[in-house]
């Protein structure tokens, strides 16, 4: 099966009003060749690329990932030629260690094309809860999506996995994300709340001037947000909302509003410039859901290309930028990572580094 062509126009761009910021998504790597540590961005050092084998770097005896005996798996779903399943890891004392998603490497092959999804008969709203997922349109492009519960972790806010395979990518970042990729949503709200989100449209906490024309991914330069109740205190450091001309595409069906790191390398350098899909491999989106009165940080979403997952052969860890105000009083992740799991012929995407807020 072939993927559809990655062509399209802009619907997100870096906010020109944002000052230059430190790289909040810098990869945190060790340098094996010299035995020295490279500390990029946050001052935390993660495992060496290409060294995701042997003992768990966080101290789990006997090796293997995720650690045996303290990891619980959720139900698996069918994807490509394999399967995907969420997992939760807690220490014996009940402290959260990982929320993650394990992709069999076979799941990265035999994936449906956009044409196959458009013709599929699993397009009912309830199909997203089933093993085969729901073929649907998201961000004006065909997608295969799944809603799968995470095993409980009392000290974290995460409730379920929202997984999307996007064979032609999707609109956003001025064309930066029109590349085959997965959206891996770690949701903090109840599935029914997210299932009720409809879009693309203005978020309910934004008020427009009535000039937006719905139903198109094209920017609308006559549109204007005249009022907003967006809670900027919950916007993570270095992140920006999509600009005014595409504000009517901020709120996406079954997801919510997506905010992006202003320093993501694939995003354009200035309004009106194109994004660079070739520079996109993985970017951390952080998302919001709300009502007319306010918004709240509702999901953390590594957006990861299929190519990046296929090529993963070690353990790479990245920073999760933090907001000034949290929407919960539990532990919040400070890192996300992509890790090769050769013993299972799999690759994992996970949140970690949970700290009290």
């Amino acid at each position: 099966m072939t993927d559809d062509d990655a062509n399209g126009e802009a619907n997100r761009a870096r906010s020109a009003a944002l000052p230059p910021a430190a790289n909040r998504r810098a990869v945190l790597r060790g340098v094996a060749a010299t035995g020295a540590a490279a500390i990029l961005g946050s001052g935390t050092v993660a495992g060496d690329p290409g060294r995701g084998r042997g003992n768990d770097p966080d101290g789990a005896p006997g090796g293997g990932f995720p650690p045996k005996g303290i990891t619980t798996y959720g139900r698996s779903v069918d994807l490509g030629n394999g399967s995907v399943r969420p997992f939760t890891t807690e220490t014996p004392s009940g402290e959260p260690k990982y929320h993650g998603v394990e992709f069999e490497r076979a799941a990265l092959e035999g994936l449906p094309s956009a044409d196959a999804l458009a013709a599929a008969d699993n397009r009912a709203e309830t199909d997203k809860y089933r093993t085969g997922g729901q073929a649907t349109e998201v961000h004006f492009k065909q997608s295969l999506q799944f809603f799968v519960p995470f095993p409980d972790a009392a000290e974290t806010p995460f409730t379920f996995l929202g997984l999307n395979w996007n064979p032609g990518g999707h609109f956003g970042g001025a064309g930066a994300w029109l590349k085959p990729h997965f959206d891996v949503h770690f949701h903090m709200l109840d599935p029914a709340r997210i299932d009720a989100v409809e879009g693309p449209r203005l978020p309910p906490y934004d008020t427009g001037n009535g000039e937006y024309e719905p139903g198109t991914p094209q920017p609308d330069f006559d549109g204007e947000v005249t009022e907003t109740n967006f809670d900027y205190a919950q916007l993570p450091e270095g992140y920006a909302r999509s600009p005014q001309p595409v504000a009517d595409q901020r709120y996406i069906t079954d997801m919510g509003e997506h905010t992006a790191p202003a320093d993501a390398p694939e995003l354009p350098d200035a309004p009106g410039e194109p994004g660079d899909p070739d520079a996109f491999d993985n970017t951390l989106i952080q998302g919001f859901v709300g009502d007319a009165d306010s918004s709240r940080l509702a999901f953390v979403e590594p957006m990861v290309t299929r190519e990046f997952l296929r090529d993963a052969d070690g353990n790479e860890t990245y920073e999760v930028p933090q907001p000034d105000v949290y929407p919960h009083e539990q532990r919040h992740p400070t890192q996300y990572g992509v890790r090769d799991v050769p013993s299972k012929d799999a690759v994992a995407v996970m949140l970690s580094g949970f700290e009290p807020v």
Side-chain angles (χ1 to χ4, degrees), residues 13 18 108 131 181 217 235 265 269 290 296 323 327 331 356:
L18 279 177
L108 305 178
T131 301
H181 72 268
L235 184 67
D269 291 327
R296 63 155 284 166
R331 291 177 180 258

Side-chain angles (χ1 to χ4, degrees), residues 73-137:
Y73 282 94
R75 66 177 177 85
S76 65
V77 296
D78 297 332
L79 183 67
N81 295 334
S83 63
V84 176
R85 57 180 178 169
F87 62 86
T88 298
T89 303
E90 293 181 291
T91 68
S93 62
E95 293 185 1
K97 195 172 184 67
Y98 302 113
H99 275 302
V101 185
E102 186 178 275
F103 292 79
E104 290 183 344
R105 287 197 174 271
L108 305 178
E109 309 299 333
L111 291 160
S113 67
D115 287 343
L117 291 176
D121 60 5
N122 57 322
R123 302 185 72 86
E125 280 292 311
T126 54
D127 286 335
K128 66 173 74 78
Y129 298 96
R130 299 190 175 114
T131 301
Q134 178 195 14
T136 189
E137 185 178 280

Side-chain angles (χ1 to χ4, degrees), residues 40-66:
L40 305 178
S42 74
T44 306
V45 177
D48 228 275
R51 291 242 182 152
R53 297 168 174 81
N55 285 344
D56 178 71
D58 294 319
F65 183 87

